């Protein structure tokens, strides 16, 4: 059985995501059940106690394609948010399947990522370039 890694999320992110999920129409997006499952299995911590190595909402994450080694960065955002980088292609919505899979993961965790044109890629979280909680920003 392929076990999912344990995840940690902040109480603020959990609350905001529950409100977001409740506001969506039934069948509003295909990954709703997956995001709900992620929230259900998460360890919830106070934002001030989240480890600096964990992907939280509005975190900018550096990934490495495995085994090729190519690196790229993305910011995990709420729908309609452009994120801090404001560069096209630099954000991923929490409502995207990969976005909901990223929430709560830690440096060193690996996930499967859909390849453009089909198939899957394996990517590893290399670095949390920016995490709001680590920066003392709890109201994002």
């Amino acid at each position: 059985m392929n076990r999912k890694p344990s995840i940690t999320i902040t109480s603020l992110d959990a609350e905001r995501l529950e409100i977001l999920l409740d506001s969506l129409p039934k069948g509003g997006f295909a990954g709703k059940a997956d995001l709900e499952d992620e929230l259900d299995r998460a360890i919830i911590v106070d934002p001030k106690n989240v480890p600096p190595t964990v992907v939280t909402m509005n975190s900018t994450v550096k990934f490495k394609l495995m085994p090729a080694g190519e690196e790229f960065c993305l910011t995990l955002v709420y729908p309609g948010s452009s994120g801090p980088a404001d560069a096209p292609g630099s954000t991923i919505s929490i409502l995207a399947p990969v976005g909901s899979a990223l929430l709560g993961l830690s440096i060193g965790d690996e996930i499967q990522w859909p390849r453009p044109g089909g198939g899957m890629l394996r990517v590893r979280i290399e670095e949390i370039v920016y995490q709001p909680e680590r920066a003392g920003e709890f109201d994002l």
Side-chain angles (χ1 to χ4, degrees):
M1 180 176 201
N2 190 10
R3 229 179 100 126
K4 293 182 177 184
S6 64
I7 62 171
T8 301
I9 64 172
T10 70
S11 55
L12 183 58
D13 285 348
E15 181 181 329
R16 288 177 177 169
L17 290 168
E18 290 289 345
I19 291 168
L20 173 64
L21 287 168
D22 289 344
S23 73
L24 295 171
K26 190 172 183 172
F29 77 102
K32 184 175 182 179
D34 291 335
L35 181 52
E36 289 170 335
D37 288 345
E38 293 293 305
L39 294 176
D40 287 344
R41 73 183 185 89
I43 299 166
I44 309 292
V45 299
D46 184 273
K48 293 179 180 171
N49 295 329
V50 70
T53 57
V54 169
V55 179
T56 62
M57 290 303 301
N58 299 305
S59 289
T60 301
V61 181
K62 181 188 285 184
F63 301 94
K64 182 180 278 188
L65 288 172
M66 304 302 293
E70 181 183 335
E71 294 184 341
F72 62 100
C73 287
L74 291 173
T75 301
L76 182 62
V77 298
Y78 292 98
S81 175
S82 58
D86 280 341
S90 66
T91 62
I92 186 159
S93 171
I94 187 66
L95 297 183
V98 173
S100 63
L102 286 176
L103 183 66
L105 293 181
S106 297
I107 293 173
D109 286 340
E110 294 183 5
I111 62 170
Q112 295 294 311
W113 197 289
R115 179 188 304 263
M120 298 299 279
L121 299 169
R122 186 168 50 102
V123 298
R124 182 174 64 216
I125 297 172
E126 289 292 302
E127 178 184 355
I128 309 298
V129 177
Y130 167 78
Q131 183 202 67
E133 295 80 8
R134 184 175 65 211
E137 299 172 357
F138 301 101
D139 295 329
L140 291 180

